[in-house]
Amino acid sequence: MKKQSNRRPYKKHLVLVGKNYIPVKDWYRNNPKHFEHISGVPTSNQIGTVLIRLGFGRTDTDTEISYK
């Protein structure tokens, strides 16, 4: 019998740049000035909070969270 996990499945976090979606971690690496208030590497959710503050909209599905 397989043991059930209490962990939620991982969702991809993507941001629309131009005509392509890239991982939010790549967007963070290209825009570090927006994260000077965070010590260490921000989580995908922290990056998303900054994206929303910058005017991006958030779409949440079963498998991914996207910002555009």
Side-chain angles (χ1 to χ4, degrees), residues 14-22 27 30-31 56 67-68:
L14 305 168
V15 62
L16 183 64
V17 176
K19 294 183 180 186
N20 299 309
Y21 280 94
I22 63 169
W27 189 89
N30 293 331
N31 298 279
F56 286 77
Y67 299 91
K68 57 182 176 178

Side-chain angles (χ1 to χ4, degrees), residues 13-66:
H13 289 73
L14 305 168
V15 62
L16 183 64
V17 176
K19 294 183 180 186
N20 299 309
Y21 280 94
I22 63 169
V24 294
K25 294 280 186 174
D26 289 347
W27 189 89
Y28 150 72
R29 288 182 194 101
N30 293 331
N31 298 279
K33 66 183 177 205
H34 297 291
F35 302 92
E36 293 172 351
H37 64 286
I38 297 173
S39 67
V41 178
T43 66
S44 294
N45 285 329
Q46 288 173 313
I47 298 168
T49 300
V50 169
L51 288 166
I52 290 170
R53 194 176 321 131
L54 293 172
F56 286 77
R58 175 182 162 133
T59 304
D60 196 342
T61 69
D62 289 341
T63 58
E64 69 184 29
I65 297 172
S66 60

